[in-house]
Amino acid sequence: MKMNGNLKSYLNKRRSEVDRVLESYLPGPTCEPALIHEAIRYSLFAGGKRIRPILCLAACESVGGRSEVALPFAAAIELLHTYSLVHDDLPAMDNDTYRRGKLTNHKMFGEATAILTGDALLTAAFTMIAEKGLAASVSPKKVLKIILELGSASGSTGMVGGQLNDIESQGKEGLYLEKLKEIHTHKTGVLIRAAIRIGGILGGAGPKKLSQLTAFGEKAGLAFQIADDILDVEGKEETLGKPVGNDQTRGKWTYPALVGVSRAKKEAAVLIEEALESLKSFGPEADSLRHIAYYITHREK
Ligand code: GRG
């Protein structure tokens, strides 16, 4: 199914806003040491969808907030996400050659530089939040909340823990759905949920709205990874910017491996329905968020 024109232009507009903020925040490619800044920019501006920052902005709008306020914080989430991709591609992890249609960071710059690129991106995410938080009209308490959200989502009990379980489970017997859900939720879902919660916090959500956004983020985050699993089976290499079929070759635990593509699609669709249900008390300000939920399971990359 094709994306509708309004959603496409919303995503394009938001993506260029995020890119503009990142472009002006980061040291230029000739700033010393030039190699690290070139390597950071290489992976960051390789054509990612910017879905996490866009979800953050849409969540901010959904509770009546102004997306300009959330923009620098949303952009910082992309720095952290790009670190995870650069490290995920390393020889010690997935050992990938292509990402976002280009050679992976370590293939381009060498392993040591790629490790440092990831480290620098992760550090820059928190530096950017602190720096932009100081400059913005956001209260220090909110800035601390954002740091807490992002730190706990990406650390050992969040994304890093999920990544470890993903690696440990590869090629192992005894695959079962609850375990797979747990891996997917931690590896991918928690950062997506954090992006949405951060948007909600910046938009001024009260406890009830924030917990509804959290429920939305949990469902949408898991659906995002199921869709990623399906794209590895059914996607097109030239659209995805990386080879397909990698998960199967590596003996990864995925939804299609466990329940088949058709049931995986149904599970993802049910999760999106449930995610949308969490937003039922939200007004039309949440329409962008609703449309992005639809996009999660209908995207081609
Ligand atoms: C701490 C050494 C160390 C490594 C961390 C945590 C981690 C490595 C990697 C994260 C795991 C990961 C890559 C999960 C997959 C999530 C996923 C679906 C990534 C692709 O995201 P998209 O589709 O990609 O948003 P673009 O390119 O559009 O940004």
Side-chain angles (χ1 to χ4, degrees):
M1 196 179 297
K2 295 274 172 241
M3 240 197 292
N4 100 22
N6 287 346
L7 177 61
K8 199 171 181 177
S9 62
Y10 178 87
L11 294 175
N12 284 339
K13 181 168 171 276
R14 289 293 183 233
R15 193 167 49 234
S16 23
E17 285 169 5
V18 171
D19 284 353
R20 232 180 356 257
V21 172
L22 289 171
E23 174 62 52
S24 71
Y25 178 72
L26 287 172
T30 56
C31 177
E32 289 297 334
L35 179 60
I36 192 74
H37 296 116
E38 194 194 333
I40 287 171
R41 285 171 167 269
Y42 176 82
S43 287
L44 192 63
F45 298 113
K49 296 183 288 297
R50 312 305 195 213
I51 193 72
R52 292 154 193 80
I54 294 172
L55 279 164
C56 179
L57 299 174
C60 177
E61 287 173 334
S62 77
V63 292
R66 288 189 304 118
S67 65
E68 308 88 86
V69 174
L71 190 54
F73 305 97
I77 301 169
E78 187 67 18
L79 293 175
L80 191 140
H81 164 64
T82 307
Y83 126 75
S84 81
L85 300 183
V86 171
H87 278 192
D88 187 57
D89 291 336
L90 285 168
M93 303 241 180
D94 277 0
N95 195 18
D96 275 316
T97 305
Y98 290 99
R99 164 77 66 186
R100 294 175 166 172
K102 294 166 75 172
L103 284 175
T104 46
N105 197 290
H106 65 92
K107 287 283 177 195
M108 194 67 192
F109 298 97
E111 207 175 329
T113 302
I115 292 171
L116 292 170
T117 299
D119 294 342
L121 282 162
L122 171 60
T123 319
F126 290 97
T127 313
M128 186 175 187
I129 290 174
E131 203 174 312
K132 297 291 180 181
L134 279 174
S137 56
V138 179
S139 75
K141 195 170 172 188
K142 270 193 185 174
V143 177
L144 285 175
K145 274 189 180 170
I146 292 164
I147 291 172
L148 181 59
E149 289 290 334
L150 202 55
S152 55
S154 54
S156 58
T157 56
M159 185 177 73
V160 169
Q163 174 78 350
L164 185 88
N165 281 333
D166 184 60
I167 292 168
E168 291 282 292
S169 67
Q170 275 179 45
K172 293 228 172 93
E173 298 293 317
L175 195 66
Y176 62 102
L177 199 55
E178 275 317 301
K179 182 71 185 166
L180 180 61
K181 265 188 198 165
E182 191 194 307
I183 294 173
H184 278 16
T185 296
H186 287 89
K187 183 176 77 163
T188 307
V190 284
L191 187 59
I192 289 178
R193 185 184 67 177
I196 291 163
R197 282 178 54 87
I198 290 169
I201 291 166
L202 287 162
K208 194 163 171 214
K209 283 267 185 277
L210 194 57
S211 94
Q212 287 160 341
L213 281 175
T214 307
F216 172 85
E218 266 161 26
K219 305 283 182 186
L222 180 56
F224 187 89
Q225 183 56 52
I226 299 175
D228 193 73
D229 288 355
I230 296 168
L231 283 171
D232 190 65
V233 178
E234 289 196 330
K236 292 197 188 75
E237 187 168 326
E238 55 287 10
T239 317
L240 288 173
K242 58 178 185 178
V244 291
N246 273 341
D247 292 342
Q248 198 189 1
T249 316
R250 291 175 183 143
K252 280 213 181 196
W253 288 25
T254 66
Y255 265 70
L258 190 59
V259 298
V261 169
S262 158
R263 188 165 149 212
K265 283 183 181 170
K266 279 191 197 118
E267 296 263 350
V270 168
L271 283 163
I272 293 302
E273 282 307 310
E274 289 171 356
L276 292 172
E277 186 63 21
S278 316
L279 299 183
K280 68 176 186 301
S281 69
F282 287 55
E285 318 79 70
D287 280 351
S288 301
L289 201 51
R290 294 186 177 101
H291 286 117
I292 303 169
Y294 165 86
Y295 162 74
I296 282 175
T297 48
H298 289 83
R299 65 204 165 93
E300 289 170 356
K301 67 172 189 172

